[in-house]
Amino acid sequence: MSQLTDALASNIGHGQGPGTDAGKSSKPRKPPKVPRGKFSVHFAHYKWLYLLLVPGVVYFAVFRYAPMYGVSIAFKDYVPFLGVNGSPWVGTQHFQDFFSNPDFPRLLGNTLILAFLNLGIAFPLTIVLALLLNEVRLSILKRTVQTLVYIPHFLSWTIVASLSFLLFALDFGPLFLFLNNVMGTNIDFLSDPNWFRPLIVLQEIWKNTGWGTIIFLAALATVDQDQYEAAIIDGAGRFRRVWHITLPGIRSTIIVMLILAIGQMLNTGFEQIYLMTNALNRSVADVFDTYVYFVGITQGAYSYSTAVGLFKSLVGIVLIFGTNALAKRFNQSGLF
């Protein structure tokens, strides 16, 4: 009897009682694997994930790929009454006219200067702000600061330009009065060509720097915390921990964002530039985006303006591929 009792106790301890089979395991069964070769079964298993793709696919199909049909008018003398197919073919004539236009060097120079200013000032400030926010240990303070720096992103450029006009308005703008009293001058910041670019860069920093920290803060959350503890034990200060652990930990994210930023260099932003442009600062304010609007919409040169926009897009593609290849050449993780 004692041997039978011990045997039952042993079986119960291993999950095998009177009502269970001794040869079966007590572990929960895994769901059956979906064969990857059968797309119908695969789609049925992940149908909700594919459903989430629909809005993005529709957006890019309607607003990104469908308009590419109209790019062909860059090689035609487009006449609205004849349509895209009925307009006569002129080849690269519009591109030749654009490159030989006296405005081309000025447009290229203005666009590149603004692009490099935004890339060299606004982009690093986004990383610096993310690093500063990452060092804040008080949770409520960190969330408050994040909210405050995110808010300007949701304001339209019309509101940003209106605020700029109120702050720098001649004779009554508070910043106009303060800066002129400090410098002892009487500068009209909104009309002076020398102040147009600083104002554009300051607007870009105020509006988008906080929003740009989201991706970098997400990357900072993936850095191994054990490395910080080891560095503290070794006597590394806060700056050295940031330099030797934090920045290398988000290097791949920085490179990817830099490649995307370089690809968008010539897209200086139509709304911002257009709203801040006036007759006195037009010499430094005209860029490709505003030029396309003035020539294409106000003057009706549809084919010529399309050629200008296509040139800008092709330059952006070349910059993306070139920067990505350069990153791969230095053994860094690129965009693709």
Side-chain angles (χ1 to χ4, degrees):
M1 179 63 71
S2 61
Q3 295 178 354
L4 179 60
T5 305
D6 295 340
L8 288 174
S10 176
N11 289 336
I12 293 174
H14 288 83
Q16 299 172 358
T20 59
D21 296 334
K24 293 183 179 180
S25 173
S26 61
K27 296 181 179 180
R29 293 183 178 180
K30 295 181 179 180
K33 292 184 178 180
V34 180
R36 295 185 179 180
K38 298 181 180 179
F39 178 76
S40 59
V41 179
H42 182 78
F43 179 81
H45 189 73
Y46 296 104
K47 56 181 178 297
W48 299 114
L49 292 179
Y50 283 104
L51 184 62
L52 293 176
L53 287 175
V54 173
V57 172
V58 171
Y59 169 79
F60 280 98
V62 174
F63 296 103
R64 299 295 181 178
Y65 288 97
M68 288 184 181
Y69 171 74
V71 172
S72 60
I73 68 174
F75 305 94
K76 296 183 176 183
D77 186 12
Y78 176 69
V79 179
F81 298 101
L82 299 178
V84 176
N85 296 326
S87 299
W89 185 271
V90 296
T92 60
Q93 182 63 43
H94 297 301
F95 293 93
Q96 297 175 12
D97 294 341
F98 176 56
F99 295 144
S100 60
N101 194 317
D103 291 331
F104 175 74
R106 180 173 60 88
L107 293 171
L108 182 62
N110 293 340
T111 304
L112 290 179
I113 290 174
L114 284 176
F116 280 113
L117 286 175
N118 287 327
L119 187 65
I121 298 176
F123 183 79
L125 283 179
T126 303
I127 303 174
V128 172
L129 181 59
L131 294 175
L132 294 175
L133 289 173
N134 187 60
E135 293 296 322
V136 177
R137 294 293 175 257
L138 189 60
S139 180
I140 186 173
L141 176 61
K142 183 176 181 180
R143 290 198 300 267
T144 302
V145 174
Q146 283 180 299
T147 303
L148 292 176
V149 297
Y150 290 168
I151 289 176
H153 175 77
F154 299 98
L155 301 178
S156 67
W157 281 116
T158 303
I159 296 177
V160 175
S162 300
L163 291 175
S164 300
F165 282 121
L166 290 175
L167 293 174
F168 293 96
L170 195 65
D171 295 333
F172 67 87
L175 288 182
F176 168 82
L177 297 175
F178 173 75
L179 292 176
N180 280 310
N181 289 333
V182 171
M183 296 185 296
T185 57
N186 190 26
I187 301 175
D188 184 2
F189 298 98
L190 296 175
S191 301
D192 191 344
N194 295 325
W195 282 93
F196 174 79
R197 289 163 182 159
L199 287 177
I200 294 297
V201 175
L202 289 174
Q203 287 179 346
E204 179 68 24
I205 292 172
W206 182 74
K207 188 175 188 297
N208 292 323
T209 299
W211 183 256
T213 60
I214 293 178
I215 295 178
F216 293 110
L217 287 173
L220 289 170
T222 63
V223 180
D224 189 5
Q225 298 299 316
D226 294 338
Q227 298 184 25
Y228 291 109
E229 296 176 1
I232 293 173
I233 295 174
D234 291 339
R238 179 165 295 183
F239 178 79
R240 287 190 174 274
R241 294 199 299 269
V242 170
W243 184 260
H244 294 288
I245 299 176
T246 306
L247 288 178
I250 62 172
R251 181 185 302 162
S252 59
T253 304
I254 294 175
I255 292 175
V256 170
M257 298 304 297
L258 180 61
I259 293 173
L260 295 175
I262 291 177
Q264 297 291 324
M265 279 183 61
L266 298 186
N267 294 330
T268 51
F270 166 76
E271 294 180 40
Q272 180 190 15
I273 304 297
Y274 178 76
L275 292 171
M276 297 298 296
T277 301
N278 53 58
L280 297 178
N281 61 17
R282 188 176 297 277
S283 60
V284 297
D286 280 339
V287 294
F288 288 137
D289 291 326
T290 56
Y291 183 73
V292 168
Y293 169 77
F294 287 122
V295 174
I297 303 300
T298 62
Q299 300 179 14
Y302 302 112
S303 295
Y304 181 79
S305 60
T306 303
V308 177
L310 182 59
F311 162 75
K312 189 185 70 172
S313 300
L314 292 176
V315 172
I317 293 175
V318 172
L319 289 174
I320 288 179
F321 279 91
T323 310
N324 186 79
L326 188 64
K328 291 293 187 67
R329 186 177 182 86
F330 288 96
N331 298 322
Q332 301 296 327
S333 58
L335 185 61
F336 47 85

